[in-house]
Amino acid sequence: MSSVLQPATADQDPPAARKYRPVSSHLAIAPPVSVVIPAMNEAENLPYVFKTLPDWIHEVVLVDGNSTDGTVEVARALWRDVKVVGQRGKGKGDALRAGFEACTGDIVVMVDADGSADGNEIVSYVSALVSGADFAKGSRFANGGGTDDMTFIRKLGNRVLCAVVNRKFGARYTDLCYGYNAFWRHCLDKIDLDCTGFEVETLMNIRVVKAGLKVQEIPSHEYLRIHGTSNLRAVRDGFRVLGVILQERSNRRALRRRPHRSPLLDAGRGKVS
């Protein structure tokens, strides 16, 4: 299996939106699908990203982190109707939040801009959602998944942190820190994202479980970043992920310690003059 995807051509335009969108030979959907791509100086990688995006997508939302290499211009050449959102803050979490706010589709898919994700896999995510899942979580370590882009240290850290989340929150994840996910847009009201960095995927995974949403893991293959270098720093961002886990665990304990008050008692008190 090749570790590099092939680039798109500039004249590759999405067809007009249809009421029902054929997703595969045996599945058509009515819910519109939005794809959010956070990007900062990824002009060389975007052709590979857009090459694999399905033509039935409702919209592509590119969140630009003040790029200086023509990222926005390349995106517009590759996908004529791309919706460009300028990022005001910093960090991947901040970019994703801006992208989610701009989405108009019922289903939201998160895709990295470095060429490591294969857009052809989106059909699997969408299929899981229309079949009953609330959150379709990509996993490089589920049966059928894989990665060409993780060092031993990152794999070890991901495994340890994943085990901690599973134990502390009752999850059953096989992968924790992966940015290829999809969900129904209304789920955002239940998970209330409030972080700015690479720890955003971990926060989403924890709050999805805490909210009682139905999760289905989707085997995914992560390819090598094609051009440039990642802003991810294993040790620094690993500690940020751990901080999120501890904070969410602390919040959960605080809620358990909060005294329970009967709604009937509160109603009765409200009637006292």
Side-chain angles (χ1 to χ4, degrees):
M1 180 179 293
S2 173
S3 296
V4 177
L5 301 178
Q6 298 302 311
T9 57
D11 59 354
Q12 183 180 20
D13 293 328
R18 294 181 291 271
K19 183 176 180 181
Y20 290 95
R21 298 170 176 82
V23 173
S24 67
S25 59
H26 61 280
L27 177 65
I29 62 169
V33 177
S34 299
V35 174
V36 176
I37 307 175
M40 184 174 70
N41 294 328
E42 299 284 7
E44 290 185 290
N45 291 321
L46 288 185
Y48 299 87
V49 177
F50 281 81
K51 170 71 174 181
T52 62
L53 293 181
D55 58 10
W56 44 262
I57 287 173
H58 164 63
E59 67 180 355
V60 176
V61 179
L62 180 90
V63 185
D64 178 54
N66 300 308
S67 298
T68 59
D69 67 343
T71 289
V72 172
E73 291 75 15
V74 170
R76 286 175 171 154
L78 295 170
W79 199 280
R80 183 182 56 194
D81 298 324
V82 65
K83 181 183 293 185
V84 177
V85 177
Q87 184 179 356
R88 295 182 178 180
K90 295 182 179 181
K92 184 176 183 180
D94 180 83
L96 285 173
R97 287 160 56 193
F100 296 159
E101 290 177 2
C103 288
T104 60
D106 295 329
I107 291 175
V108 179
V109 183
M110 306 158 45
V111 177
D112 287 340
D114 58 4
S116 64
D118 183 355
N120 290 305
E121 294 179 358
I122 290 177
V123 63
S124 298
Y125 290 82
V126 171
S127 296
L129 295 175
V130 298
S131 297
D134 297 308
F135 189 82
K137 183 191 178 310
S139 174
R140 295 161 291 187
F141 305 112
N143 187 26
T147 178
D148 301 324
D149 196 36
M150 288 189 78
T151 63
F152 172 78
I153 295 298
R154 285 179 58 199
K155 285 183 180 179
L156 178 62
N158 186 53
R159 179 175 298 181
V160 170
L161 293 170
C162 188
V164 172
V165 168
N166 287 344
R167 181 176 179 82
K168 298 299 183 182
F169 298 95
R172 301 180 64 182
Y173 294 135
T174 60
D175 196 352
L176 185 66
C177 308
Y178 190 40
Y180 202 172
N181 304 293
F183 52 89
W184 292 98
R185 186 158 57 98
H186 63 74
C187 293
L188 291 169
D189 297 331
K190 300 181 179 180
I191 59 178
D192 188 27
L193 299 177
D194 54 6
C195 67
T196 60
F198 281 102
E199 69 275 14
V200 63
E201 291 103 352
T202 297
L203 182 65
M204 292 184 72
N205 294 333
I206 293 175
R207 291 191 175 172
V208 160
V209 173
K210 292 170 68 174
L213 299 177
K214 184 178 179 181
V215 181
Q216 181 172 332
E217 285 198 329
I218 307 299
S220 177
H221 191 95
E222 179 186 39
Y223 295 86
L224 292 170
R225 164 180 275 275
I226 300 173
H227 298 287
T229 58
S230 173
N231 292 318
L232 175 69
R233 298 295 178 266
V235 176
R236 178 199 66 187
D237 293 305
F239 276 111
R240 293 188 67 163
V241 168
L242 180 60
V244 164
I245 296 172
L246 296 177
Q247 181 63 40
E248 291 300 301
R249 180 61 176 171
S250 176
N251 291 344
R252 189 176 185 181
R253 288 175 176 173
L255 287 174
R256 287 178 175 176
R257 288 195 295 266
R258 183 178 299 174
H260 175 72
R261 298 178 63 180
S262 169
L264 294 178
L265 180 59
D266 291 340
R269 287 176 177 173
K271 295 178 180 179
V272 177
S273 59

